[in-house]
Amino acid sequence: MGHDELDAALAGLDWERQGDVLVKVVRRDDFAGALALVNAVGELAEAADHHPDIDIRWNTVTLRLTTHSAGGLTAKDLALAAEIDGLLEQGIA
Amino acid sequence: MGHDELDAALAGLDWERQGDVLVKVVRRDDFAGALALVNAVGELAEAADHHPDIDIRWNTVTLRLTTHSAGGLTAKDLALAAEIDGLLEQGIA
């Protein structure tokens, strides 16, 4: 994926790029809310067969997407990032 | 909690002490197994009103217990660590 193509895709996403990783931090009211979010993201991840790194700190979930096997960001990361944004925009988790 | 008391409690636990934090790394067959483990640990955490930091890396879950409000390890950490060990020994998750 070229730089321009990647930049264009990123512009439509609510994720921060840190080098070869897309990062998204989501806060919920409490641990139960955070865990519900993780399970919803997990369903999308399983369906995509692509899994973000997930850190849970009580009510705060940090998601990190990259494609280790490709050594950088790929279309799989962008697609799953967009799906997760959709999940959150719909208020599903 | 004194050093001797803490050492005695730690000897019965399958956790590694790293300074003021108890750390446990658990591997499962896949992401679904890891997420099931996180949910089971989450139930214990909610019941105890004490929540480990949880990192999910596909099939690998890292749990970290400490009591931030007390600036170190407390009986709450040791109790929840023992409960999580029990969960794993029983093969529940």
Side-chain angles (χ1 to χ4, degrees), chain B residues 6-34:
Chain B
L6 181 58
D7 286 344
L10 282 169
L13 295 174
D14 186 24
W15 291 66
E16 183 191 344
R17 185 180 174 188
Q18 295 179 356
D20 281 343
V21 183
L22 296 184
V23 182
K24 187 180 184 83
V25 180
V26 187
R27 286 190 178 75
R28 288 293 174 256
D29 288 342
D30 51 25
F31 176 80

Side-chain angles (χ1 to χ4, degrees), chain A residues 24-38 53-64, chain B residues 18 21-24 38 45-46 50-57 60-66 68:
Chain A
K24 187 180 183 82
V25 180
V26 187
R27 285 191 178 76
R28 288 294 175 254
D29 288 342
D30 51 25
F31 177 80
L35 195 51
L37 170 73
V38 167
D53 288 347
I54 301 172
D55 293 355
I56 307 171
R57 301 292 179 270
W58 191 54
N59 70 335
T60 303
V61 179
T62 301
L63 305 170
R64 291 185 183 83
Chain B
Q18 295 179 356
V21 183
L22 296 184
V23 182
K24 187 180 184 83
V38 167
E46 286 286 84
H50 191 55
H51 301 83
D53 288 348
I54 301 173
D55 294 355
I56 307 172
R57 302 292 178 271
T60 302
V61 178
T62 301
L63 305 170
R64 289 184 184 84
L65 274 169
T66 194
H68 298 287

Side-chain angles (χ1 to χ4, degrees), chain A residues 21-91:
Chain A
V21 182
L22 297 183
V23 182
K24 187 180 183 82
V25 180
V26 187
R27 285 191 178 76
R28 288 294 175 254
D29 288 342
D30 51 25
F31 177 80
L35 195 51
L37 170 73
V38 167
N39 280 292
V41 167
E43 277 190 40
L44 293 179
E46 286 286 84
D49 195 20
H50 190 57
H51 301 83
D53 288 347
I54 301 172
D55 293 355
I56 307 171
R57 301 292 179 270
W58 191 54
N59 70 335
T60 303
V61 179
T62 301
L63 305 170
R64 291 185 183 83
L65 275 169
T66 193
T67 303
H68 297 287
S69 59
L73 289 171
T74 67
K76 290 179 82 163
D77 300 304
L78 298 165
L80 185 54
E83 285 189 54
I84 293 170
D85 279 350
L87 183 83
L88 294 171
E89 282 161 16
Q90 292 163 50

